[in-house]
Amino acid sequence: MTTNVHVAGVGSTKFGVLPGRNLQSLAVEAARAALADSNIPTGKIGCVFVGNFVGGIMTGQELLGPIVAADLGLSNVAAIKIEAACASSSAAVRIGHDLIRAGAEDAVLVIGVERLTGAPRDALTTAMTAAIDQGTEGRAGLTFPGFWGMVMARHMHLYGTTREQVAAVTVKNRRFGATNPLAQFQKPVTLEEVMASPPISDPILRFDCCPATDGAAALVLTSESLAKKHGAPAVRMAASVLVNGPVRITDYDEITVHDGTVRAARRAYETAGVGPDDIDVAELHDCFSIAEIVDSEDLGFFAKGEGGPAVLRAPSARNSKVAINLSGGLLSKGHPTGATGCGQIYEVVMQMRGRHPNQVPNARFGLTHNGGGTAAAVTVHILEAPQ
Amino acid sequence: MTTNVHVAGVGSTKFGVLPGRNLQSLAVEAARAALADSNIPTGKIGCVFVGNFVGGIMTGQELLGPIVAADLGLSNVAAIKIEAACASSSAAVRIGHDLIRAGAEDAVLVIGVERLTGAPRDALTTAMTAAIDQGTEGRAGLTFPGFWGMVMARHMHLYGTTREQVAAVTVKNRRFGATNPLAQFQKPVTLEEVMASPPISDPILRFDCCPATDGAAALVLTSESLAKKHGAPAVRMAASVLVNGPVRITDYDEITVHDGTVRAARRAYETAGVGPDDIDVAELHDCFSIAEIVDSEDLGFFAKGEGGPAVLRAPSARNSKVAINLSGGLLSKGHPTGATGCGQIYEVVMQMRGRHPNQVPNARFGLTHNGGGTAAAVTVHILEAPQ
């Protein structure tokens, strides 16, 4: 006996540089917005899951579950922090989804939150590498720009992907971000500007990298019946999958194929009873521009090696087979690591409701893909618009 | 439709100062022991939950879920870290319990792990205060010895609890720790030694404080049917409760009454269909000796104000109404924060199996109480011996 799980309400802060805000104030702002949006009475919430990655390292604050729950006026809830690096809050969604689906809970509040700005650049790099195994590759000096630089070089070598194709991802996502009021970067960039930006980790240039971002996003997950009872603007969660993948480069057979994404997608499509061709809109984990190309292939939108040309073929993306990162993606909307997963689902829920600033007409199925570490924790969520 | 949840197997490292070990090696050691103990095939595990508090701050390592899962040879699992300060791993048990009880999972591996030694004393104090709201009391300089010092002074003032009664908790727990091979402190202390130890946070003395500890403990949780199928030495989990409590002293009506513990206990007794008088053995969260007294009252073992005299009345504790902290407790077994909750359940499972080094004959019901922050996250678990 299982029940359908719905996203009954969503809320988000602005993503960007938000000085003077601490984790709990951001989390509470997003959570209050989601609760108000959902019409679900606060007293129905049984669990508060806070997705957060480096709150301890960057701000010295843990225990976010009980602190945020208390500030929301909730007592007698199971309030915890869930961490899976940059996939923290979507991993929390998966746990909340399963508890509701099986009937253990009726309503779960999932919040993603992070503060990454305001610290020295070194502190941020150190914090991010907490998602690399410090016993092996972390100690050897690997960073995420380093990892993705290797992936990009190899992708160009194996499949003939060009520098321009990769740069076009940033151009596309910056254009969508320009019309998303929540986005950190709201100014388009040209292909020439991307190509002329300084090198970071060859062949990755500065405009291939997502920014450091502060922000929070929140979802109220409920059973179908509770959402209906309270007239929530609900969107059905057709699949919620979390799998683990290789945690070290040396565990990869081939670093241009992210096994975690392939397996998570396969299971999500199976659960939802759809295929990649049925997906109208998708939010992918474009922490670096090459990542969107790799992910679009591993999710089955394009054959391996076809992701690069596809970016150039569908420069507007709103007319393409699947419209990718209409939010601006991590590259333009920003990447408040622990908040990113909930933020992606927020965007797709808005598409499913027909209320997104970059709306795709008649979008029926939307997908989010969120990755933690070197694709070591991968979530795929599929949402379906109300019929 | 719900199923009974069993602890199918348990494992633990030694608790103590374990130089040269990182979080993942400790976690993997405890997990392998629990899997072997349970007879459950590794492939049955659907989720790996790693309870950990300050791994990020103390060691710079996050993403413990996927890293530990990979090192255990597990792929396609939902692997996350769960954090609720010093109650991290017992909070993870509660989530795993609920997933199995509702039928969403058949087997969940819960691991608690922490490394607290080897860093400068200042670093440890800073890390621990991550469980205090940095927006208010943390910024004002509150620490946990400070919090418990206030609780102890107030308990002595209101109820006439004496310095000797509180010191007797340490004497009792050190005596039990001396015969627990897993314990960090294996040497008894006298009342005179406790009373003569240097002041830490008036009226708390050094021997009233638990040590900084490294260690890991792990549990394999399964459905009753899976445990039976594989002949696991299973112990039924009769209740698994997590509630949030006040996160600031200023939220307390009365700091000698820990509302989170009172509510968690009430719900656990109700779920298990037992009362405090039915509990034979209990592991309580004695991070400071006064905490055991406060907890023993809030759990209903003694009336408020009777916890102090009770320690002196039952100096051996193995003959008392309820035998408390036969493991040595946090004061003697040690307090590897994120690992403590699983470690407590490990101890009670051994009592339920009749195989504890400080065994109580015919113990039928055992209870664990684990607290995070200023009793801001509280778990109560009740276990029942096989009949």
Side-chain angles (χ1 to χ4, degrees):
Chain A
M1 273 294 292
T2 56
T3 176
N4 279 324
V5 179
H6 283 212
V7 184
V10 297
S12 182
T13 67
K14 172 99 169 80
F15 280 17
V17 180
L18 308 173
R21 298 292 301 273
N22 63 15
L23 291 170
Q24 47 266 56
S25 89
L26 292 169
V28 167
E29 178 186 332
R32 288 215 172 109
L35 286 162
D37 181 53
S38 73
N39 295 322
I40 304 293
T42 308
K44 295 285 180 189
I45 302 295
C47 297
V48 176
F49 295 163
V50 180
N52 174 258
F53 171 26
V54 288
I57 298 174
M58 292 293 287
T59 76
Q61 185 69 69
E62 296 288 358
L63 198 73
L64 286 171
I67 290 173
V68 171
D71 287 356
L72 290 169
L74 291 163
S75 57
N76 268 320
V77 293
I80 56 173
K81 162 175 161 172
I82 288 180
E83 186 275 327
C86 300
S88 293
S89 60
S90 62
V93 168
R94 190 283 201 187
I95 304 299
H97 168 278
D98 282 21
L99 287 169
I100 294 168
R101 186 161 177 77
E105 296 288 344
D106 215 15
V108 173
L109 174 62
V110 183
I111 310 164
V113 64
E114 206 78 73
R115 271 229 57 181
L116 296 182
T117 78
R121 191 177 301 235
D122 277 6
L124 181 64
T125 301
T126 302
M128 290 301 106
T129 54
I132 292 177
D133 177 19
Q134 293 302 313
T136 55
E137 293 175 348
R139 199 170 49 186
L142 186 66
T143 61
F144 284 100
F147 172 75
W148 284 103
M150 283 188 259
V151 171
M152 182 166 163
R154 177 102 180 134
H155 206 279
M156 294 168 79
H157 170 73
L158 280 183
Y159 314 115
T161 305
T162 67
R163 200 30 284 195
E164 286 74 17
Q165 289 165 355
V166 180
V169 173
T170 298
V171 175
K172 169 178 75 66
N173 292 358
R174 283 290 199 102
R175 195 172 54 248
F176 289 129
T179 49
N180 182 358
L182 293 178
Q184 179 165 7
F185 291 154
Q186 295 185 305
K187 193 170 145 262
V189 292
T190 65
L191 196 73
E192 293 66 37
E193 285 173 307
V194 178
M195 300 289 284
S197 66
I200 296 292
S201 169
D202 187 54
I204 287 179
L205 307 174
R206 184 187 286 168
F207 283 14
D208 291 311
C209 307
C210 69
T213 309
D214 308 321
L219 315 174
V220 178
L221 304 179
T222 68
S223 63
E224 182 171 17
S225 58
L226 192 69
K228 282 202 171 142
K229 186 176 163 194
H230 293 280
V235 169
R236 187 173 78 92
M237 192 163 262
S240 174
V241 174
L242 164 65
V243 301
N244 65 320
V247 296
R248 298 168 199 95
I249 298 180
T250 47
D251 297 337
Y252 272 95
D253 289 328
E254 167 53 55
I255 59 170
T256 60
V257 179
H258 291 187
D259 181 48
T261 300
V262 172
R263 283 183 285 110
R266 194 182 302 141
R267 204 192 294 180
Y269 292 137
E270 213 174 271
T271 304
V274 299
D277 290 345
D278 298 308
I279 305 297
D280 301 299
V281 294
E283 291 287 320
L284 307 192
H285 193 89
D286 56 329
C287 49
F288 297 90
S289 43
I290 182 65
E292 181 176 305
I293 292 173
V294 172
D295 297 340
S296 70
E297 295 165 346
D298 290 337
L299 291 162
F301 297 147
F302 310 107
K304 189 51 74 180
E306 292 300 314
V311 180
L312 289 181
R313 268 206 316 276
S316 90
R318 286 177 69 173
N319 305 314
S320 70
K321 173 183 149 186
V322 51
I324 294 174
N325 283 332
L326 293 163
S327 70
L330 282 58
L331 286 168
S332 189
K333 189 188 175 194
H335 186 24
T337 46
T340 293
C342 277
Q344 292 176 315
I345 296 174
Y346 173 101
E347 298 288 334
V348 170
V349 163
M350 285 303 177
Q351 288 282 353
M352 297 296 102
R353 291 189 193 171
R355 287 179 47 211
H356 195 276
N358 296 322
Q359 182 66 41
V360 167
N362 307 314
R364 182 173 173 197
F365 287 103
L367 176 149
T368 66
H369 164 268
N370 190 202
T374 51
V378 180
T379 63
V380 171
H381 284 84
I382 297 177
L383 296 149
E384 183 178 12
Q387 297 310 296
Chain B
M1 273 296 291
T2 56
T3 176
N4 279 327
V5 180
H6 282 214
V7 182
V10 298
S12 182
T13 68
K14 173 101 169 79
F15 280 16
V17 180
L18 307 174
R21 299 293 300 272
N22 63 15
L23 291 171
Q24 48 266 54
S25 89
L26 292 169
V28 166
E29 178 186 333
R32 288 215 172 109
L35 285 162
D37 181 52
S38 73
N39 295 324
I40 303 292
T42 307
K44 295 285 180 190
I45 302 294
C47 296
V48 176
F49 294 163
V50 180
N52 173 258
F53 171 27
V54 289
I57 298 174
M58 292 294 287
T59 75
Q61 185 69 70
E62 296 288 357
L63 199 73
L64 287 171
I67 290 173
V68 171
D71 287 355
L72 289 168
L74 290 163
S75 57
N76 268 322
V77 293
I80 56 174
K81 162 175 161 171
I82 288 180
E83 185 275 327
C86 301
S88 292
S89 60
S90 62
V93 169
R94 189 283 201 189
I95 303 298
H97 168 278
D98 282 22
L99 286 169
I100 294 167
R101 185 158 178 77
E105 296 287 345
D106 214 16
V108 173
L109 174 62
V110 183
I111 310 163
V113 64
E114 205 79 72
R115 272 229 56 182
L116 295 182
T117 77
R121 190 177 301 235
D122 277 7
L124 182 64
T125 301
T126 302
M128 291 300 108
T129 53
I132 292 178
D133 176 18
Q134 293 302 313
T136 56
E137 293 174 349
R139 200 169 50 187
L142 186 67
T143 62
F144 283 101
F147 172 75
W148 284 104
M150 284 187 259
V151 171
M152 181 166 164
R154 177 102 180 133
H155 205 280
M156 294 169 79
H157 170 73
L158 281 182
Y159 315 115
T161 304
T162 67
R163 199 31 283 196
E164 286 73 15
Q165 289 164 356
V166 180
V169 173
T170 298
V171 175
K172 169 178 75 65
N173 292 357
R174 283 288 200 103
R175 195 172 54 249
F176 290 129
T179 49
N180 182 358
L182 293 178
Q184 177 165 8
F185 291 154
Q186 295 186 306
K187 192 169 145 261
V189 292
T190 64
L191 197 72
E192 294 65 35
E193 286 173 305
V194 178
M195 301 288 284
S197 66
I200 297 293
S201 168
D202 186 54
I204 288 180
L205 307 173
R206 185 186 286 168
F207 283 12
D208 291 311
C209 307
C210 70
T213 309
D214 308 321
L219 315 174
V220 177
L221 304 179
T222 68
S223 62
E224 182 171 17
S225 58
L226 192 70
K228 282 202 171 142
K229 185 176 164 194
H230 293 279
V235 170
R236 188 173 77 92
M237 192 162 264
S240 175
V241 174
L242 164 65
V243 301
N244 66 319
V247 296
R248 299 169 198 94
I249 298 179
T250 47
D251 298 337
Y252 270 95
D253 289 328
E254 167 54 54
I255 60 171
T256 60
V257 180
H258 290 185
D259 180 48
T261 300
V262 173
R263 284 183 285 111
R266 194 183 302 142
R267 204 191 293 182
Y269 292 136
E270 213 174 272
T271 304
V274 299
D277 290 345
D278 298 309
I279 305 298
D280 300 299
V281 295
E283 291 287 319
L284 308 192
H285 194 88
D286 57 330
C287 48
F288 297 90
S289 43
I290 182 64
E292 180 175 306
I293 292 173
V294 172
D295 296 340
S296 71
E297 296 165 345
D298 290 338
L299 291 163
F301 297 147
F302 309 107
K304 190 51 75 179
E306 291 300 316
V311 180
L312 289 182
R313 269 207 316 275
S316 89
R318 286 177 71 172
N319 305 315
S320 68
K321 173 183 149 184
V322 51
I324 294 175
N325 283 332
L326 292 164
S327 70
L330 282 58
L331 287 167
S332 189
K333 189 189 175 194
H335 185 23
T337 47
T340 293
C342 278
Q344 291 175 315
I345 295 174
Y346 173 101
E347 297 288 334
V348 170
V349 163
M350 287 302 177
Q351 287 282 354
M352 297 297 101
R353 292 189 193 169
R355 287 179 46 211
H356 195 277
N358 296 322
Q359 183 66 41
V360 167
N362 307 315
R364 181 171 174 199
F365 287 104
L367 176 149
T368 66
H369 164 266
N370 189 202
T374 51
V378 180
T379 63
V380 172
H381 284 86
I382 297 176
L383 296 149
E384 182 178 12
Q387 298 308 301

